[in-house]
Amino acid sequence: MYFEKFPTITYSLDGNQTSFVITDIFRRVVADAENLLTATAYDQHDIQDGDTPEILAHRLYGNVQLHWVILILNGIIDPRWDWPLTSQQLRKYITDKYGAGNEYGIHHYVTNDSYADVVHSSYAGSKLPVTNTDYEEDLNNARRRISVLQPRFVPEFINRFNGILINGDQ
């Protein structure tokens, strides 16, 4: 469904001796939520552990094939890494990334006053350690809050998307 309206191009791997007509997958439409529809057309949604774009599209729109609407509206290019991992996937990812036994090692330090103020381990003031697990969980949790289009606006969004893709309309 997503690639249905994409234009095709002629492509050759051997200097035009043999050509193929393929879908131009390099086209990319970036959804500017403020310009596509009014801000009231969107709701904030917290992704639950185990939700996938397809599950969410089915739950919200009754159609798993509309998962691309959710991905585009949230600027998600690679659902494998831009979508939150499940708790189990996250645990495995942390172990693989930092090594077994290092999951709770110190990733960095922050000041007591602000969790956002990262400081060096030699910082003389009061500081708090942030473990590798805490750090990765924070990054993963930040990906859980997304914008979703209210179902009644999906047909209009698709029409505008197709217009931009096919005609370059804005």
Side-chain angles (χ1 to χ4, degrees):
M1 181 174 200
Y2 176 67
F3 289 110
E4 247 172 35
K5 302 289 184 181
F6 277 57
T8 59
I9 58 173
T10 304
Y11 189 76
S12 174
L13 297 172
D14 59 7
N16 292 330
Q17 293 178 11
T18 308
S19 296
F20 301 92
V21 175
I22 61 172
T23 301
D24 183 2
I25 62 170
F26 295 106
R27 289 286 176 111
R28 182 160 180 248
V29 175
V30 177
D32 180 356
E34 293 174 6
N35 290 328
L36 282 173
L37 297 167
T38 66
T40 58
Y42 303 93
D43 292 321
Q44 292 298 304
H45 181 82
D46 292 315
I47 298 169
Q48 301 303 307
D49 208 28
D51 279 351
T52 65
E54 293 80 7
I55 288 170
L56 197 52
H58 182 266
R59 188 180 308 137
L60 294 170
Y61 308 132
N63 185 342
V64 296
Q65 292 186 6
L66 292 175
H67 68 280
W68 63 272
V69 172
I70 296 166
L71 298 176
I72 284 178
L73 286 174
N74 290 282
I76 296 173
I77 297 170
D78 183 354
R80 179 175 171 155
W81 298 111
D82 296 340
W83 192 263
L85 300 173
T86 65
S87 298
Q88 183 179 1
Q89 290 169 329
L90 184 60
R91 282 192 304 276
K92 181 179 180 339
Y93 172 76
I94 293 168
T95 299
D96 291 347
K97 182 174 181 178
Y98 297 101
N102 294 317
E103 297 89 346
Y104 293 96
I106 304 301
H107 188 275
H108 62 273
Y109 293 89
V110 294
T111 63
N112 282 343
D113 298 333
S114 172
Y115 194 72
D117 291 336
V118 177
V119 295
H120 190 270
S121 62
S122 63
Y123 176 71
S126 183
K127 61 184 179 276
L128 298 171
V130 176
T131 67
N132 295 325
T133 296
D134 291 338
Y135 173 73
E136 295 297 339
E137 284 176 348
D138 288 346
L139 290 176
N140 197 55
N141 288 335
R143 292 191 289 272
R144 290 195 180 280
R145 172 66 49 125
I146 62 170
S147 294
V148 294
L149 189 59
Q150 294 174 13
R152 64 189 168 126
F153 293 107
V154 170
E156 182 181 351
F157 175 81
I158 292 171
N159 286 338
R160 289 186 184 197
F161 175 85
N162 289 338
I164 292 168
L165 187 64
I166 295 167
N167 306 320
D169 298 343
Q170 292 298 330

